[in-house]
């Protein structure tokens, strides 16, 4: 389990996914890239940074803290506990967490701070945000002002793209869960 407390590098598949993402989106004219403070997001956007795009790290974009599950293998026992927690979150219990971990409401609070910071930058109209799976699901809920308990309605895989538009008042998803750049990376 990799949460906020595990700062592991990308594995080989993660590197290939990052390269495929860059190949597909390198022509976009991003004004800036925002990442979490964790190494794997920096490695995911490394090709964009080598091309000279400005970047900023925000701890508000870090993955949720998985507490005692951090760094543990996904054994049946751990996965049963994880599944129970996700079910409880889905049922609206957003102030519970794994021992030593973080609740979805705590995550949303730090994400709102990061979002306010991002929105304060008036000259940044097109940005790329690189973050983590659970954090992204909560962030999309925050952006769309949706019940965080419905976070798992947003599918996720590494380097999946959600294109979101902000009109100055509200956010809307223009392209959801785009993974076309990953075609051909997986074998059956």
């Amino acid at each position: 389990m990799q949460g906020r407390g595990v700062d592991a590098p990308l594995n080989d598949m993660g590197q290939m996914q990052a390269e495929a993402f860059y190949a597909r989106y390198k022509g976009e004219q991003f004004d800036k890239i925002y990442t979490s403070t964790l190494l794997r997001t920096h490695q995911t956007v490394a090709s964009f940074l080598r091309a000279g795009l400005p970047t900023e790290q925000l701890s508000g974009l870090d993955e949720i803290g998985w507490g005692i599950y951090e760094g543990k293998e996904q054994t049946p026992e751990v996965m049963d506990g994880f599944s129970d927690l996700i079910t409880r979150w889905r049922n609206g219990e957003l102030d519970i967490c794994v021992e030593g971990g973080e609740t979805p409401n705590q995550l949303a609070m730090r994400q709102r701070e990061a979002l306010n910071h991002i929105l304060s930058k008036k000259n940044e109209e097109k940005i790329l945000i690189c973050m983590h799976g659970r954090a992204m699901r909560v962030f999309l809920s925050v952006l769309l002002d949706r019940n965080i308990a419905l976070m798992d309605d947003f599918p996720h895989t590494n380097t999946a793209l959600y294109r979101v538009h902000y009109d100055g008042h509200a956010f809307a998803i223009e392209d959801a869960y785009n993974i076309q750049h990953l075609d051909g990376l997986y074998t059956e």
Side-chain angles (χ1 to χ4, degrees):
M1 298 288 289
Q2 291 187 62
R4 191 175 194 192
V6 173
D7 199 13
L10 293 179
N11 61 19
D12 290 342
M13 177 57 77
Q15 290 287 351
M16 289 188 297
Q17 291 167 329
E19 290 168 16
F21 187 90
Y22 179 72
R24 169 64 182 86
Y25 296 104
K26 65 184 175 188
E28 297 282 337
Q29 299 298 311
F30 295 115
D31 296 314
K32 190 171 188 179
I33 297 177
Y34 287 93
T35 68
S36 78
T37 63
L38 301 173
L39 175 63
R40 51 197 186 268
T41 60
H42 309 163
Q43 291 177 327
T44 300
V45 298
S47 293
F48 289 98
L49 303 182
R50 281 191 293 274
L53 285 171
T55 185
E56 185 173 350
Q57 298 177 36
L58 299 174
S59 61
L61 301 177
D62 286 355
E63 180 60 292
I64 196 166
W66 287 116
I68 60 170
Y69 289 166
E70 296 275 352
K72 298 256 173 114
E73 288 193 35
Q74 295 179 0
T75 64
E77 180 180 284
V78 168
M79 293 312 293
D80 286 346
F82 177 78
S83 180
D84 178 60
L85 182 65
I86 299 303
T87 298
R88 292 179 70 187
W89 287 349
R90 183 79 177 183
N91 290 331
E93 297 179 62
L94 300 173
D95 289 312
I96 63 164
C97 62
V98 173
E99 180 184 329
E102 187 174 28
T103 72
N105 282 335
Q106 290 169 327
L107 172 58
M109 186 181 327
R110 67 178 164 83
Q111 288 181 338
R112 285 183 184 99
E113 290 175 16
L115 179 60
N116 288 337
H117 174 78
I118 292 167
L119 292 176
S120 74
K121 306 298 181 181
K122 300 304 177 199
N123 295 328
E124 297 173 5
E125 294 195 19
K126 189 173 192 178
I127 62 168
L128 175 63
I129 297 175
C130 186
M131 57 193 314
H132 311 271
R134 180 63 48 188
M136 182 207 63
R137 290 171 164 155
V138 172
F139 195 61
L140 287 167
S141 299
V142 167
L143 291 179
L144 300 176
D145 198 26
R146 289 186 55 185
N147 183 342
I148 295 170
L150 302 176
M151 67 181 113
D152 285 321
D153 288 354
F154 298 107
H156 162 71
T157 194
N158 292 340
T159 71
L161 176 78
Y162 280 83
R163 191 179 302 264
V164 179
H165 176 76
Y166 181 62
D167 67 6
H169 302 287
F171 292 90
I173 294 177
E174 294 182 339
D175 187 9
Y177 190 63
N178 188 325
I179 56 171
Q180 292 174 349
H181 56 279
L182 297 177
D183 287 350
L185 279 186
Y186 305 102
T187 57
E188 303 204 23

